[in-house]
Amino acid sequence: MAVRYYVSDIVGSGTAADPFHPALKDVVSVNWSGCDLRADDSSAGGKMLVWCDTTTVQHTLLTADVRITYLPFEDLIGMVLGIASTLGDVSAANRTLIASRLGALSIPMQDLLTTDLLKKVIARIVRRVRIRRALDLEDFTEGLDTLVSDIPSERLAAIAARLQVRGYDSSVVIGTDTIRQALVKLAVQDVPWQTNEFDV
Amino acid sequence: MIVVNDSFTAADGTLLQGHAGEEGASTWTKHSVSGAAHAKINSNRVYLDSAGGDFAFYYPNGSPISPEYDVEADFVCLVITGAAGRPRLLARIDVSAETWYEVVWDGANIFLNKDVATVVTNVGSSALTAVDGETHAIMAQIRDSAKKVFLDTIEIITSADNAITSNGPGGVGFVGAQTTTDGIHIDNFVVTDLAVEEVLIRNRKLSQQQRMTA
């Protein structure tokens, strides 16, 4: 068994009898922990980052499930790495997969170094979620490579206002930044409620 | 610093909202979203007397000075014949809406949920089967950086969720039928705030950052 990290669709109806929960629960019914990646707690759908100690059989079932995306923190021989390992310990192919899978969720990680701990990747995901929650409906929906200057000025003003209310310094973001760069500039700021369990 | 401590010492049949605890719980308030059922004290433990309904939530008047605190209680398994009453610890309670973090034990599993305006999301779980006569200490450690659940001092759930940030009180709740002899009852409820010094340091950092971003 090894603790693996997955991004799972959220299913359920949000009622007390049928709470929103990760689809992963169909395979791993208990003994998992998660972080909701949605901006809005009331919306159906969305994703949750989930970590759990899975057997090989469970892992095989999870990777075959289209509702679940595996983050392969594995080395060259397929050994699952703990979050105290570095990104450099992850095989290059898996690093590319992780970056691509997180990029699809608007979570940039290309600035992270091979010397950074995997814990920092998880921290980046959690910090991105907190930016998403700060922005709510104004969250970036454009691709990560879109220039900030391509976003309409009214919307940029609304984004800046929302960020400032939550204590972010939005002035560090400039028009020639891509959204990827802007998100990194915001994610590295130590806003009080931005700190999380995985910060290093 | 302990801000609430209640061992539920009172005559059998006393309503929870008619009872004063040892510290920080001179009054308990039944949350407005509760049903008709009342929590009562029996054998110096609190349970849900489900006559007239089967859900109720309560919070004491003692409230932590910051949103970062621990809330804990002993969960006492009597004879488990049904849903066990699904007792729960509540944290960061919005006293005017059904919004809080909750640690629920349904007799088979422990769940960490966030309930935001009646929309419930399960953000962690751990297996624990109720056994007649056993008592377990469950604690919710509520921090901005993480929400952790401890079972008999062992960490069993960690979530990075921080959707509910307000400084609401801790409390208890029940959903499901119980009797004086059936279900999982709650005892020794304690809320422990972060040390005052830690809160002052945190607030100082916050004001410094606000000045920097102003």
Side-chain angles (χ1 to χ4, degrees), chain A residues 11-25:
Chain A
V11 298
S13 58
T15 62
D18 180 29
F20 287 130
H21 59 274
L24 168 143
K25 199 175 165 187

Side-chain angles (χ1 to χ4, degrees), chain B residues 18 73 79 125 140 157 192:
Chain B
V79 179
S125 73
I157 300 172
T192 308

Side-chain angles (χ1 to χ4, degrees), chain A residues 24-126:
Chain A
L24 168 143
K25 199 175 165 187
D26 291 350
V27 175
V28 185
S29 59
V30 290
N31 299 329
W32 54 267
S33 291
C35 178
D36 194 340
L37 304 184
R38 295 174 299 177
D40 175 6
D41 297 301
S42 64
S43 61
K47 308 276 187 187
M48 188 180 292
L49 172 69
V50 186
W51 51 98
C52 49
D53 204 352
T54 46
T55 63
T56 304
V57 171
Q58 288 172 324
H59 178 60
T60 303
L61 288 169
L62 292 172
T63 50
D65 191 324
V66 295
R67 302 170 302 170
I68 294 158
T69 303
Y70 175 50
L71 300 179
F73 295 135
E74 295 179 11
D75 65 11
L76 268 175
I77 58 169
M79 192 170 79
V80 178
L81 300 166
I83 56 173
S85 302
T86 66
L87 260 175
D89 295 328
V90 178
S91 70
N94 282 332
R95 278 203 303 272
T96 304
L97 266 179
I98 293 164
S100 155
R101 290 173 180 177
L102 293 182
L105 298 167
S106 188
I107 302 168
M109 62 162 281
Q110 280 80 354
D111 61 303
L112 299 183
L113 307 172
T114 52
T115 51
D116 282 330
L117 300 180
L118 298 182
K119 203 174 179 183
K120 197 164 182 177
V121 178
I122 305 300
R124 172 61 55 83
I125 298 170
V126 177

Side-chain angles (χ1 to χ4, degrees), chain B residues 1 3 37 58 75 88 93 99 138 145 152 181 183 202:
Chain B
M1 184 178 71
V3 290
Y58 293 83
F75 285 65
R88 61 203 62 206
I93 299 172
T99 294
I138 298 176
S145 59
D152 298 326
T181 57
R202 181 176 178 274

Side-chain angles (χ1 to χ4, degrees), chain A residues 153-165:
Chain A
S153 55
E154 298 82 7
R155 189 155 162 260
L156 270 182
I159 288 170
R162 279 181 176 270
L163 288 170
Q164 284 161 19
V165 165

Side-chain angles (χ1 to χ4, degrees), chain B residues 2 8 24 47-49 63 72 85-86 103-104 110 123-124 130 151 160 184 200-201 210:
Chain B
I2 291 176
F8 304 114
Y47 76 105
L48 185 71
D49 180 354
S63 192
E72 59 189 292
R86 296 198 293 278
V103 178
V104 182
I110 294 175
V123 293
L151 171 65
I184 302 172
L200 290 174
I201 290 168
Q210 282 172 336

Side-chain angles (χ1 to χ4, degrees), chain A residues 14 19-20 22 25 29-34 36 38 41-42 48 51 126 130 133 167 169 190 192-193 195-197, chain B residues 109 111 114 116 118-127 144-146 148 156-163 206 209 213:
Chain A
F20 287 130
K25 199 175 165 187
S29 59
V30 290
N31 299 329
W32 54 267
S33 291
D36 194 340
R38 295 174 299 177
D41 297 301
S42 64
M48 188 180 292
W51 51 98
V126 177
R130 297 198 177 163
R133 296 188 76 90
D169 178 7
D190 284 325
W193 41 82
T195 60
N196 66 66
E197 177 73 4
Chain B
N109 300 303
F111 297 99
K114 59 177 168 182
V116 180
T118 76
V119 178
V120 183
T121 302
N122 185 200
V123 293
S125 73
S126 183
D144 284 341
S145 59
K148 295 186 178 185
I156 54 169
I157 300 172
T158 299
S159 174
D161 194 275
N162 199 33
L206 176 60
Q209 280 165 346
T213 55

